[in-house]
Amino acid sequence: MTRVLMLTEGTYPFVDGGVSTWCGQIIVGLPEIEFTVYSITGDVQARQRYTLPQSARLVQVPLWGVEHPAEWGLDSGGVVETIRRRRRTRGPVARRFAEMLTGLLADMERPEDDPLGAGRRLLEMHRYFLAHDFVAALRAPEAWEAFRSAAAGARWAEGATGTDLTTCLRWLRALLMPLALPVPEADLSHATISGLAALPGVLAKIERGTPLLITEHGVYLRERYLALSTHTDIPAVQRSFLLALAELTASVAYAHADAVAPVCRYNAVWERRLGASDDLIDHIWNGVDPTLFVPRPKPPERRGRPTAVAAARVFPLKDIETMIRAAAHARERIPDVLFLLYGSLSADPPYVEKCRRLVADLGLEDTFVFAGLAPNPTEIFNQGDIGVLSSVSEAFPYTILEAMACGRPSAATDVGGVGELLEGTVPPRDPAALGQACVDLLADPRRRAELGRRARERLLAHFRVSLTIDRYRELYGRLIGVPT
């Protein structure tokens, strides 16, 4: 049986969202393949939200909450071997790691210069961690001196304090966890991001010749820039360090990929700029099952009220604040308009509270409803007349596909591959434009019905999940060298 190492980060099977939906589709849709899901999570408290089929097994790699890989059962050497490794990680052995650390920080300075060489140096560090003690190496005085010395001339460390450097080294300890673990054997590595999750695939490519496929949903580096720009609670030096490490990771991942399959054409533009070879890029659009998402009438209690529906986790990249302000704009034209937002309220509690305050400040309590997780996800868009999306970053969003399958047109921002799905998108962060787009659709039932009919027809022709699965089956076979 063909074996695929599915590499995820902060998504499947622990977090809801588009990437997790996609992972589930691929793993369930290809039962002839044996999957190992190598899932990097924030900490040990992550709760599994998806049940894997019998053809898949799970390896969870928590970055935080575990001091040493052995604590989580990820180190097969056992307690005695762990103690021996710790004793060996001293003196000349510790200085050897310090030299590797210096090399890693030099690679972070100019990640585009030698990504293939950086990959080999990461493999050297990986082999070192397997033979010696991961934690002891990073805690050794030699490692701290190497880190402090390299930071003295680093672009990310300008103005760094001792606290900044200590924190950055602590970040590094967590973010290097995938290098400290054995990489499961497979015939193909499939990374869902060009971030940390891609590194085991890079190691397997260099050491074993295992082909590496990268499917970008949101472009990793672009979203890191966006996310860290909003985290003003993280000091500037520490943000610069995290971005420099992300730049290196993405550069190394693209340089070692055998194929890059973004979920939309838009992503390919960024991937080329970031070093992915043009002849390796071929997009594979996401798809949904049109037998599960079927057009139905609105519930009786809402049939007299114009309703816009969104499905999104409430966190900054979805820019729910713009959606709320768009609702205020729409209410000026349609006083009884209703905006229903379905999605997790736990991804970023401070941002959720900020959005709730905005609703209250604008007097939208009867207009904008945080509906939480939907009891029946396939019926979300049948709860209203149109879909709405306000994101500042997307790839090829399932929410638009699901609205199309339900025969609902959408008002949406022109981000990622949304323009490949819809005509008439609006600029991001423009509440008036988004609100007016909602008004235009809600106020014209005949046009809305025609657009909804055409949306479902387009989905049936191009965006069925069966078409997506067939494309990956063919790509897997080509990369592995197995006829399909």
Side-chain angles (χ1 to χ4, degrees):
M1 180 179 280
T2 298
R3 299 165 301 168
V4 171
L5 181 62
M6 182 68 80
L7 300 161
T8 74
E9 183 177 333
T11 55
Y12 187 85
F14 294 96
V15 178
D16 294 318
V19 179
S20 291
T21 296
W22 175 90
C23 283
Q25 288 177 338
I26 300 298
I27 292 171
V28 173
L30 296 173
E32 70 273 21
I33 291 175
E34 182 181 281
F35 284 92
T36 296
V37 179
Y38 184 108
S39 180
I40 296 175
T41 61
D43 58 42
V44 297
Q45 301 299 324
R47 183 170 62 87
Q48 190 171 333
R49 295 182 180 274
Y50 295 81
T51 301
L52 274 63
Q54 291 186 345
S55 59
R57 72 182 184 96
L58 175 64
V59 176
Q60 182 190 356
V61 180
L63 299 182
W64 300 97
V66 174
E67 179 75 9
H68 195 284
E71 294 178 39
W72 195 242
L74 295 171
D75 186 339
S76 58
V79 175
V80 173
E81 179 59 24
T82 298
I83 294 172
R84 287 173 178 166
R85 289 176 184 171
R86 186 165 297 172
R87 289 173 176 169
R88 288 199 298 264
T89 312
R90 296 173 182 170
V93 175
R95 287 194 291 274
R96 182 178 158 216
F97 172 71
E99 292 170 1
M100 295 180 195
L101 184 59
T102 300
L104 173 67
L105 295 169
D107 287 329
M108 286 169 56
E109 280 299 287
R110 296 188 62 84
E112 70 281 0
D113 280 2
D114 185 19
L116 294 177
R120 291 191 296 272
R121 288 184 282 276
L122 289 172
L123 176 61
E124 182 184 10
M125 188 174 284
H126 167 65
R127 288 171 172 167
Y128 177 92
F129 286 149
L130 293 183
H132 303 94
D133 188 83
F134 170 61
V135 174
L138 282 158
R139 285 183 172 174
E142 293 89 345
W144 168 249
E145 286 304 316
F147 190 81
R148 189 173 60 82
S149 176
R155 59 188 172 94
W156 58 264
E158 184 177 351
T161 65
T163 299
D164 284 327
L165 295 182
T166 302
T167 303
C168 287
L169 188 57
R170 185 168 177 265
W171 280 111
L172 192 63
R173 187 211 66 79
L175 298 176
L176 289 182
M177 182 73 81
L179 295 185
L181 306 173
V183 179
E185 294 275 354
D187 301 301
L188 171 71
S189 301
H190 191 171
T192 61
I193 194 170
S194 60
L196 291 181
L199 292 185
V202 169
L203 300 176
K205 170 66 183 296
I206 302 171
E207 191 163 42
R208 305 171 189 160
T210 306
L212 172 61
L213 166 62
I214 298 175
T215 290
E216 291 269 53
H217 295 265
V219 177
Y220 167 69
L221 194 53
R222 179 177 183 272
E223 294 201 340
R224 290 297 283 165
Y225 285 133
L226 287 169
L228 285 170
S229 70
T230 66
H231 275 287
T232 54
D233 55 320
I234 299 176
V237 168
Q238 297 171 35
R239 280 182 280 159
S240 295
F241 173 78
L242 292 173
L243 283 175
L245 185 59
E247 289 168 356
L248 176 64
T249 303
S251 180
V252 169
Y254 289 133
H256 289 85
D258 294 273
V260 179
V263 299
C264 57
R265 295 191 187 106
Y266 171 86
N267 282 4
V269 175
W270 276 85
E271 289 161 345
R272 291 186 188 96
R273 291 175 182 171
L274 296 172
S277 175
D278 189 59
D279 61 346
L280 300 181
I281 299 174
D282 187 12
H283 74 277
I284 300 178
W285 280 324
N286 291 338
V288 299
D289 187 343
T291 67
L292 296 178
F293 294 89
V294 178
R296 304 186 202 281
K298 283 197 310 185
E301 65 272 17
R302 291 201 192 94
R303 286 181 190 168
R305 188 173 186 186
T307 303
V309 179
R313 283 186 293 160
V314 182
F315 77 115
L317 286 181
K318 300 301 181 181
D319 195 10
I320 304 304
E321 292 169 272
T322 285
M323 189 186 300
I324 294 167
R325 296 183 189 279
H329 178 91
R331 189 178 62 174
E332 293 175 2
R333 294 282 304 278
I334 306 175
D336 62 340
V337 69
L338 174 65
F339 279 66
L340 281 176
L341 172 60
Y342 289 96
S344 171
L345 299 173
S346 61
D348 190 333
Y351 185 73
V352 172
E353 182 56 32
K354 184 178 182 182
C355 290
R356 289 192 186 278
R357 286 198 303 270
L358 181 59
V359 168
D361 290 345
L362 296 175
L364 296 173
E365 291 91 343
D366 295 329
T367 298
F368 195 99
V369 175
F370 294 92
L373 297 176
N376 186 351
T378 62
E379 292 298 318
I380 286 177
F381 290 99
N382 288 327
Q383 302 300 306
D385 302 291
I386 66 170
V388 59
L389 180 142
S390 56
S391 301
V392 294
S393 180
E394 285 286 351
F396 205 67
Y398 280 99
T399 57
I400 299 294
L401 293 170
E402 291 165 3
M404 292 170 69
C406 291
R408 266 61 173 184
S410 292
T413 49
D414 186 13
V415 292
V418 174
E420 298 165 42
L421 284 166
L422 302 175
E423 296 179 5
T425 53
V426 302
R429 300 195 192 280
D430 189 336
L434 183 61
Q436 189 59 48
C438 293
V439 169
D440 291 344
L441 290 172
L442 291 170
D444 191 339
R446 182 173 298 179
R447 177 170 175 265
R448 186 172 70 242
E450 174 61 16
L451 290 175
R453 181 188 64 79
R454 284 161 46 188
R456 182 166 171 89
E457 288 179 353
R458 179 164 163 72
L459 180 127
L460 292 173
H462 301 289
F463 309 124
R464 287 179 287 118
V465 68
S466 58
L467 299 176
T468 303
I469 297 297
D470 287 344
R471 287 289 309 280
Y472 281 108
R473 180 181 285 113
E474 184 277 330
L475 181 54
Y476 279 10
R478 177 163 59 82
L479 291 172
I480 297 169
V482 177
T484 56

